[in-house]
């Protein structure tokens, strides 16, 4: 049995890809990024714990960088390295090396904390 497709199926098949979104942000509502209440204990430390401790926490110290205590994080923040590794084209090696880069909102939270003077809050 020979299958036959009407010519309009071919036209429909050519039009469908034109309906696709290339950017999910255009299609899905994005949560707002509120950095007005950033604290070390509720925002920065959990973020570092999740994204940085695997390589820079506890007994790990890749590149001799430890981020598992406030004093160390403040030191790297005050010398520009903390934001430097998260900002493309800054001259610092991009971090994290494995996995996905931090979101724009996560970087904005770290930036807000650094600009506030790296408080112990």
């Amino acid at each position: 049995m020979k299958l036959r497709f009407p010519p309009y199926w071919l036209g429909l098949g050519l039009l469908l890809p034109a309906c696709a979104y290339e950017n999910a942000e255009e299609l899905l509502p994005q949560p707002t990024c509120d950095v007005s209440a950033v604290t070390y204990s509720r925002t920065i430390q959990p973020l570092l714990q999740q994204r940085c401790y695997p390589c820079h926490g506890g007994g790990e110290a890749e590149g001799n960088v430890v981020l598992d205590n406030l004093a160390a994080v403040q030191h790297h923040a005050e010398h520009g390295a903390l934001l430097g590794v998260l900002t493309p084209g800054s001259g610092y090696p991009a971090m994290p090396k494995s996995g996905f880069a931090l979101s724009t909102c996560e970087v904005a939270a770290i930036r807000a904390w650094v600009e506030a003077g790296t408080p112990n809050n």
Side-chain angles (χ1 to χ4, degrees):
M1 173 195 270
K2 188 174 185 182
L3 293 176
R4 294 188 55 147
F5 293 99
Y8 59 86
W9 283 103
L10 179 60
L12 182 62
L14 293 174
L15 290 176
L16 285 178
C19 296
Y21 281 94
E22 290 186 21
N23 189 347
E25 292 176 357
E26 294 175 11
L27 183 60
L28 303 172
Q30 297 299 305
T32 59
C33 182
D34 182 10
V35 296
S36 62
V38 172
T39 67
Y40 179 76
S41 62
R42 286 185 293 141
T43 311
I44 305 304
Q45 185 179 27
L47 178 60
L48 295 174
Q49 189 172 22
Q50 178 187 20
R51 302 298 302 274
C52 305
Y53 281 15
C55 297
H56 301 289
E60 299 294 320
E62 288 189 26
N64 292 323
V65 175
V66 178
L67 297 173
D68 64 358
N69 65 77
L70 176 62
V73 177
Q74 287 173 321
H75 171 78
H76 293 293
E78 291 165 2
H79 289 88
L82 184 62
L83 283 173
V85 297
L86 302 175
T87 308
S90 65
Y92 289 90
M95 294 289 155
K97 284 187 179 180
S98 60
F100 295 104
L102 274 66
S103 72
T104 303
C105 190
E106 291 169 327
V107 174
I110 293 171
R111 184 179 312 280
W113 179 74
V114 170
E115 289 175 356
T118 67
N120 181 8
N121 55 5

